[in-house]
Amino acid sequence: MIIKKLDLYMIRLFIAPFLMIYSTIFIIFMIQFFWSQIDELTGKNISIFIILKFILYFGISILPLVTPIALLLTSIIIFGDFSENQELIAIKSSGISLFRVMIPILGITFVLSIGLYLFSDFVIPKAKMEVKKLGYKISLTHPSLKLKEGFFVNLFPNFFIKIDRKSMNSNYLHNIFIFFYGKNSLVNTILSQRGVLIPNQEDESIQLKLMNGVLYSENLNGPKKEQSSYQIVEFDTLIQNFKIPSESKIKNLDDDDYDFYQTLNTKNLIQKINFFKKKNYKKINTYENKIYLAKLQLELQKKFTFPVTCIIMFLTGAPLGAIIRKGGIGYPTMIALIIFIIYYTLLTITQNKVEKTEICPWIGAWIPNFIFFPVSIWMTYKAVMDDF
């Protein structure tokens, strides 16, 4: 009876702070996203409804990242308060161990982890697909939003463009450098002083009008097309039309160009990986195929890493709170931020190495958990045995 009351007490003690901390961290992430995208989304005649949908879908996609942080901070605060108020000492004196006190919240953490996996597998892929569709709608009316000053951008399939500057609230571009692949995979290069992107929503195409520039193009000559020649054309005005893939065909778009693998659930990812290996068995050693396969395998592993991270963060935070014996917001928040920054830095580094095919995808996805799991077990053991 005492144990049941203690379990209910711990659950009630955990729920309210967890929801408050979860909401606060979620709002902070949303504000950071909106602040970073405010120049791109506002002042360009984009519907407020589309902007709100973008924010909503981004909020859905960051929940796997918010959940471990919230669990870590909540567990440090709860058990820090518990230890600081001498409640933990009173419970231990009655013969109940710290680990037994942790069990009800650990059970909630397991449930949250399972729920997070299901959410990541069913809800987030649909949200990311909706983002692709919203991006398609915006590209019809504001194609220049995808361009970044000073960087090459894959604006269309086999078409790369770099600009020095784009005019605010318009599709006018300045100092344009373009290269694209023509017939027979020949490279064409265009340098232009000015240009403008003109969307045509009726036939779902974009017209690129360039002024005052030079076109460099390769041509194959001879009956067997074994010889090539180079052509240079100076122009005052050059117009090219590009067809945008229709919204109904988004699901069939190339993964490398549109990060389509992020919209797949576990079952579809496994099927995609097996199909890719079988179809490209002879070409699997090429660099592009290795990168593509690594991205697929990494995305599959990420479905499981964050749910496991939730359990690890609780097993780290609860004993840490009991050890430091400090409740409140300030001190636990600082400790939680340091821990999660270390975790996220490791995660980012290993994922970048996976995408460069420098390490195995499953190792790269799990390295942070492999490091933090023994630490969390060691801290739990030390706190339970009062050996600190």
Side-chain angles (χ1 to χ4, degrees):
M1 189 67 180
I2 295 176
I3 294 297
K4 288 183 179 179
K5 287 184 178 181
L6 178 61
D7 290 344
L8 292 174
Y9 175 70
M10 292 303 300
I11 291 171
R12 286 198 302 267
L13 203 64
F14 174 80
I15 293 297
F18 175 74
L19 293 176
M20 184 181 68
I21 291 169
Y22 198 99
S23 302
T24 303
I25 296 173
F26 179 79
I27 291 170
I28 291 171
F29 272 92
M30 295 299 291
I31 292 173
Q32 187 274 334
F33 167 76
F34 185 74
W35 188 259
S36 65
Q37 301 294 323
I38 190 169
D39 290 336
E40 298 292 335
L41 296 175
T42 58
K44 297 179 180 173
N45 298 321
I46 300 177
S47 167
I48 187 66
F49 179 68
I50 291 179
I51 293 176
L52 290 175
K53 288 183 74 174
F54 253 122
I55 294 173
L56 170 65
Y57 294 135
F58 172 78
I60 291 174
S61 66
I62 63 170
L63 290 182
L65 188 61
V66 173
T67 306
I69 306 176
L71 277 167
L72 175 64
L73 181 54
T74 306
S75 58
I76 294 176
I77 291 175
I78 292 298
F79 284 88
D81 279 331
F82 212 56
S83 184
E84 186 180 24
N85 297 333
Q86 307 299 319
E87 293 178 87
L88 188 57
I89 294 175
I91 290 174
K92 286 181 176 180
S93 65
S94 64
I96 301 173
S97 69
L98 173 63
F99 186 74
R100 181 60 187 83
V101 176
M102 292 168 54
I103 284 178
I105 303 180
L106 183 60
I108 293 175
T109 304
F110 272 107
V111 173
L112 281 173
S113 299
I114 295 170
L116 186 61
Y117 165 74
L118 295 174
F119 188 85
S120 300
D121 204 39
F122 295 102
V123 179
I124 291 179
K126 292 181 180 179
K128 289 186 176 180
M129 176 58 73
E130 292 299 321
V131 169
K132 305 296 180 188
K133 293 179 181 179
L134 285 176
Y136 161 79
K137 292 177 182 178
I138 292 177
S139 66
L140 283 177
T141 54
H142 299 85
S144 64
L145 285 180
K146 192 175 180 180
L147 300 178
K148 295 181 180 180
E149 296 177 353
F151 295 92
F152 276 104
V153 174
N154 186 195
L155 190 60
F156 307 106
N158 298 321
F159 185 94
F160 300 85
I161 179 171
K162 181 175 77 72
I163 60 170
D164 285 350
R165 182 170 60 89
K166 59 181 177 179
S167 300
M168 295 296 293
N169 304 324
S170 72
N171 290 322
Y172 283 93
L173 315 173
H174 301 272
N175 297 330
I176 305 162
F177 182 9
I178 297 171
F179 74 90
F180 62 95
Y181 297 97
K183 294 181 179 179
N184 299 314
S185 298
L186 296 176
V187 177
N188 297 276
T189 305
I190 300 176
L191 299 175
S192 177
Q193 294 180 8
R194 292 179 294 113
V196 60
L197 287 167
I198 305 172
N200 187 339
Q201 298 187 43
E202 293 183 0
D203 62 357
E204 298 182 338
S205 66
I206 292 178
Q207 184 181 90
L208 177 61
K209 185 177 181 181
L210 301 171
M211 285 82 78
N212 301 328
V214 181
L215 167 65
Y216 303 86
S217 62
E218 274 187 293
N219 297 305
L220 291 177
N221 301 322
K224 296 184 179 180
K225 297 185 178 182
E226 294 178 350
Q227 297 178 339
S228 63
S229 63
Y230 210 73
Q231 185 178 19
I232 301 176
V233 178
E234 295 185 3
F235 60 85
D236 294 325
T237 302
L238 177 65
I239 297 175
Q240 286 193 316
N241 294 297
F242 298 92
K243 186 75 174 178
I244 299 178
S246 63
E247 184 176 345
S248 62
K249 294 181 180 179
I250 285 182
K251 291 186 177 181
N252 297 321
L253 294 176
D254 182 77
D255 303 46
D256 282 330
D257 293 334
Y258 293 87
D259 293 329
F260 183 68
Y261 61 88
Q262 296 180 357
T263 66
L264 301 175
N265 58 28
T266 301
K267 181 180 178 181
N268 292 334
L269 278 169
I270 293 173
Q271 291 175 346
K272 191 80 173 177
I273 290 169
N274 292 335
F275 176 77
F276 182 79
K277 285 181 177 179
K278 185 180 294 184
K279 182 180 178 182
N280 298 277
Y281 180 76
K282 294 182 179 179
K283 301 179 180 179
I284 202 69
N285 290 324
T286 63
Y287 186 65
E288 289 91 3
N289 286 339
K290 280 185 175 181
I291 290 177
Y292 180 58
L293 181 60
K295 287 181 178 179
L296 286 172
Q297 293 174 327
L298 179 62
E299 188 67 21
L300 177 62
Q301 296 299 324
K302 284 165 64 177
K303 300 286 185 184
F304 303 96
T305 53
F306 279 116
V308 174
T309 302
C310 291
I311 299 170
I312 292 174
M313 288 301 164
F314 172 73
L315 291 175
T316 302
L320 188 58
I323 291 170
I324 64 175
R325 297 176 181 175
K326 190 73 174 177
I329 296 294
Y331 196 60
T333 301
M334 182 180 67
I335 294 174
L337 282 175
I338 292 171
I339 292 172
F340 201 81
I341 286 172
I342 294 171
Y343 172 85
Y344 193 72
T345 301
L346 283 171
L347 185 66
T348 303
I349 292 172
T350 53
Q351 287 187 0
N352 287 339
K353 287 188 174 293
V354 168
E355 292 178 356
K356 294 177 182 178
T357 67
E358 294 178 5
I359 57 176
C360 180
W362 74 268
I363 293 178
W366 288 95
I367 278 179
N369 285 345
F370 287 158
I371 293 173
F372 273 82
F373 180 69
V375 173
S376 67
I377 296 299
W378 177 78
M379 291 182 64
T380 302
Y381 173 79
K382 287 290 186 180
V384 169
M385 302 301 294
D386 286 330
D387 185 17
F388 51 83

